[in-house]
Amino acid sequence: MLVDTQVLARTPLFHKVPPQALEVAREAFVTRNYPAGKKIFEAGDMGAALYVVQSGQVRIYRTYLDGRERMFAYLGPGEVFGEMSLLDDQPRSASAETTVDSVLLVLYQDAYWSLVRKWPEILHNLATILARRLREADLELEVLSFEEARGRVAYALTKLRKQRYGDGTRMKLTHQELAQLSGTSRETVTRVLHALREEQLVRVGSGYVEILDPAGLEEVLFGLR
């Protein structure tokens, strides 16, 4: 059982719900400890629970038949994932794996609907989370379909910043990981990062990328520079 409600209060799932709802939810969640590199679920698995990251980090990705891996997100404390399984009986659409030792809070389907019957605003919050995911997917589809490599890399870095990856601006990130996020090759990422560094938009070091000018990076994303 979750010890306190602070983590839940920070999640969008419990936005503007009364304190008593958090107290009841505290008993509904199950705490699970995962070592680094532990797979939580795999694309194609049947699921009946959502997860909240209490501590640590989780990556969401999909592996294709030819072995290529597409990274969708890195999630940190307070982030919710796996929520679609609460609303349908379809298999998981992506895989989830811890990148560091992590503590996750698990809410199973029956417990979720029990909370919703008492506080319907939780269902509205879940719909808001799904709407945000859909908007992000629409933008990502547009970027990956029409943008050149420069815009794709700028999009991936902006997305990580908004997900508060690392400290928000300095991110522990390899060129290969950034390539998986931006749908390009590692060599292309290296070339684009060099150009962005020359424009003083980012600083690149061994195993990390630091965003120096978030607004400038968004201008690159939308083709304004």
Side-chain angles (χ1 to χ4, degrees):
M1 185 178 69
L2 179 64
V3 175
D4 64 56
T5 60
Q6 291 185 5
V7 173
L8 296 182
R10 294 199 302 268
T11 70
L13 186 63
F14 292 98
H15 179 60
K16 292 185 177 180
V17 300
Q20 58 265 38
L22 294 175
E23 287 298 329
V24 174
R26 181 171 69 93
E27 300 183 2
F29 276 86
V30 178
T31 303
R32 295 279 185 260
N33 295 284
Y34 290 85
K38 177 69 174 180
K39 190 167 290 184
I40 303 159
F41 55 75
E42 193 166 8
D45 290 348
M46 298 303 296
L50 69 71
Y51 297 79
V52 175
V53 183
Q54 176 171 303
S55 64
Q57 185 182 79
V58 173
R59 71 184 187 111
I60 307 297
Y61 67 99
R62 187 179 181 93
T63 304
Y64 295 95
L65 293 177
D66 61 2
R68 288 181 303 114
E69 193 174 275
R70 175 82 170 86
M71 202 85 67
F72 297 118
Y74 288 94
L75 305 177
E79 295 283 354
V80 178
F81 66 97
E83 67 281 345
M84 289 177 63
S85 69
L86 296 181
L87 302 178
D88 62 22
D89 296 320
Q90 298 302 307
R92 300 283 190 186
S93 59
S95 301
E97 181 181 275
T98 56
T99 61
V100 297
D101 292 349
S102 303
V103 179
L104 305 181
L105 309 176
V106 187
L107 182 65
Y108 291 98
Q109 196 172 49
D110 290 346
Y112 168 77
W113 287 112
S114 178
L115 289 172
V116 165
R117 281 191 288 270
K118 295 176 182 176
W119 294 282
E121 54 265 49
I122 296 175
L123 181 59
H124 177 269
N125 289 341
L126 183 62
T128 301
I129 292 171
L130 292 172
R132 187 194 74 195
R133 300 254 201 259
L134 182 59
R135 290 180 186 276
E136 290 174 349
D138 285 345
L139 175 58
E140 186 159 327
L141 180 62
E142 181 179 348
V143 168
L144 296 183
S145 297
F146 299 107
E147 289 291 337
E148 300 293 336
R150 177 179 166 88
R152 292 184 179 195
V153 173
Y155 169 77
L157 289 172
T158 299
K159 180 178 179 180
L160 288 174
R161 180 181 66 83
K162 291 182 176 180
Q163 290 173 346
R164 301 185 302 279
Y165 182 79
D167 66 2
T169 57
R170 184 183 173 107
M171 298 170 283
K172 184 179 179 182
L173 191 66
T174 68
H175 290 196
Q176 183 60 41
E177 289 169 334
L178 188 52
Q180 291 171 343
L181 281 165
S182 57
T184 62
S185 68
R186 183 179 60 81
E187 293 77 13
T188 298
V189 164
T190 299
R191 176 175 53 80
V192 171
L193 285 177
H194 178 76
L196 295 177
R197 182 179 60 190
E198 290 297 309
E199 296 177 54
Q200 298 184 336
L201 296 176
V202 302
R203 180 182 293 120
V204 182
S206 179
Y208 79 89
V209 178
E210 182 177 0
I211 298 175
L212 302 177
D213 185 353
L217 204 59
E218 292 202 26
E219 289 179 356
V220 171
L221 166 59
F222 293 108
L224 301 178
R225 61 183 296 171

